[in-house]
């Protein structure tokens, strides 16, 4: 008697065959998991306020951080210890900290996650400290994990004779596996008859290539909703859906070429451009303007028997220099090498190059998107 195969099982088998076909035919392709993510599979940020104890005299100065003292009093009260009213605490081994963590997708109660502990007061160092039990909450105010443990701080500091040497950062540390998950986050991946593939960068060309790759392996299962989201029919059975998603992420896709873009960091003077940047012929003249302000102290001596007093007068001098900028004829370039060669001909430093690129963009000679970060 012939055995019938579930339609979605045939879809998974076709997808397995499609992976091998695409892997052999696209040498420069990228895996789908590197270009996109599955809708609903995401991390969730957690945050909490806690105390680090056991510091070697490098904790918060309680006179300047009253919230540290208040936290200690509240913690001792929860442990059954009541301090006399008006008691002044002078603590040196305690620091108030913020604890942050990322709850990974599909995390279940009992799993351990890493946490980062950062000082929020004026503690000199968290080295050697221990974080006491701290609840970690999500954006909805619910507790999702509990953190506690000894900090690992990579920095070190030493001082002697008025000289101090510090290596790395001492006011932040990490606790590997320092938090235990107490609550799971519901996921929509196992619900409905479809899943959504979301591209990391919105691009209609890449979205269509992803749809073609999926439909070539599993005909008629994918359709693009816009330049970022692709809807894919998936098995309703959870075991089959997991296998389906595993093969889906392994598909090879050749992404479409990105738009021409120039990234300018005005704070560091860095300029980065991709290979699609093109230049139209233009002429550029660039000169440097230098303004120098100086003050020269002069002594004013009064005459004899005048009753005046000797005074020091600052005499200011302002000097303005402008270097002549030659007019450069920049030839048009359609590839990155030509563009770099043309810009190097101007001889400008990175800071001056930013102004030149902005002027080129305004004149229409730079055929690229100019983004300042």
């Amino acid at each position: 008697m012939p055995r019938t195969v579930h339609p979605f099982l045939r879809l998974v088998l076709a997808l397995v065959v499609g992976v091998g076909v695409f892997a052999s035919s696209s040498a420069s392709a990228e895996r789908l998991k590197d270009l996109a993510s599955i809708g609903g599979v995401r991390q969730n940020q957690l945050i909490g306020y806690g105390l680090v104890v056991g510091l070697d005299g490098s904790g918060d100065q309680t006179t300047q951080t009253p919230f540290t003292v208040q936290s200690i009093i509240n913690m001792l009260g929860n442990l059954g210890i009541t301090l006399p009213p008006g008691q002044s605490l002078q603590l040196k081994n305690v620091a108030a900290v913020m604890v942050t963590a990322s709850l990974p997708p599909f995390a279940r109660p009992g799993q351990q996650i890493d946490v980062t502990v950062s000082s929020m007061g004026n503690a000199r160092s968290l080295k050697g400290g221990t974080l006491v039990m701290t609840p970690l909450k999500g954006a909805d105010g619910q507790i999702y994990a509990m953190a506690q443990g000894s900090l690992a701080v990579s920095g070190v500091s030493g001082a002697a004779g008025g000289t101090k040497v510090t290596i790395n950062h001492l006011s932040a540390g990490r606790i590997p596996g320092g938090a235990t998950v107490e609550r799971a986050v519901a996921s929509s991946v196992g619900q409905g008859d479809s899943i959504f593939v979301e591209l990391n960068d919105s691009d209609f060309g890449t979205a269509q290539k992803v749809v073609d790759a999926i439909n070539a392996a599993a005909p008629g299962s994918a359709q693009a909703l816009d330049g970022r989201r692709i809807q894919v029919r998936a098995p309703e059975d959870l075991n089959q859906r997991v296998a389906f998603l595993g093969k889906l992420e392994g598909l090879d896709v050749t992404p479409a070429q990105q738009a021409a873009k120039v990234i300018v960091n005005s704070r560091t003077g860095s300029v980065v451009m991709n290979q699609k940047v093109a230049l139209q012929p233009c002429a550029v003249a660039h000169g440097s303007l230098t303004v120098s302000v100086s003050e020269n102290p002069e002594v004013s001596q009064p005459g004899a028997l005048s009753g005046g007093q000797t005074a020091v007068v600052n005499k200011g001098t302002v000097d303005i220099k402008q270097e002549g900028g030659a007019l450069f004829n920049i030839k048009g370039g359609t590839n990155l090498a030509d563009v770099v060669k043309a810009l190097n001909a101007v001889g400008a430093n990175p800071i001056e190059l930013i102004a030149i690129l902005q002027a080129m963009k305004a004149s229409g000679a730079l055929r690229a998107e100019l983004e300042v970060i």
Side-chain angles (χ1 to χ4, degrees), residues 348-369:
N349 59 45
I351 301 298
E352 296 172 337
L353 186 58
I354 293 175
I356 294 175
L357 289 173
Q358 290 176 338
M360 285 183 171
K361 176 63 177 179
S363 66
L366 179 62
R367 297 298 179 89
E369 178 185 353

Side-chain angles (χ1 to χ4, degrees), residues 46-117:
L46 304 178
I47 189 172
Y49 170 81
L51 293 172
V52 171
V53 299
L55 301 177
D56 188 14
S58 60
D60 291 339
Q61 298 180 11
T62 54
T63 56
Q64 300 176 2
T65 56
F67 50 85
T68 305
V69 177
Q70 182 180 356
S71 302
I72 286 290
I73 294 175
N74 293 339
M75 183 184 70
L76 294 178
N78 293 332
L79 296 176
I81 301 175
T82 303
L83 296 177
Q87 182 71 29
S88 177
L89 299 180
Q90 298 295 328
L91 306 173
K92 296 182 179 180
N93 300 334
V94 181
V97 295
M98 296 301 296
V99 185
T100 57
S102 294
L103 185 66
F106 311 118
R108 298 300 176 190
Q111 289 184 253
Q112 294 182 330
I113 57 177
D114 298 344
V115 298
T116 300
V117 181

Side-chain angles (χ1 to χ4, degrees), residues 258-294:
Q258 296 292 326
K261 180 175 290 189
V262 178
I263 307 297
V264 173
N265 190 327
S266 59
R267 296 181 296 273
T268 63
S270 303
V271 178
V272 179
M273 58 188 71
N274 62 13
Q275 62 179 357
K276 299 303 294 181
V277 175
L279 282 181
Q280 298 298 314
C282 62
V284 175
H286 186 74
S288 298
L289 180 65
T290 303
V291 179
S292 176
V293 180
S294 60

Side-chain angles (χ1 to χ4, degrees), residues 11 26 52 99 107 180 212 215 243 246 260 302:
L11 188 65
S26 54
V52 171
V99 185
T180 303
D212 294 340
N215 285 334

Side-chain angles (χ1 to χ4, degrees), residues 213-230:
I214 297 176
N215 285 334
S221 61
Q223 61 175 348
L225 302 181
D226 49 39
R228 183 180 293 270
R229 302 184 73 207
I230 297 98

Side-chain angles (χ1 to χ4, degrees), residues 140-164:
D140 56 358
Q142 299 293 327
I143 296 177
Y144 286 89
M146 297 295 293
Q148 182 170 284
S150 300
L151 272 72
V153 180
S154 59
V156 65
S157 176
T163 301
K164 182 178 180 181

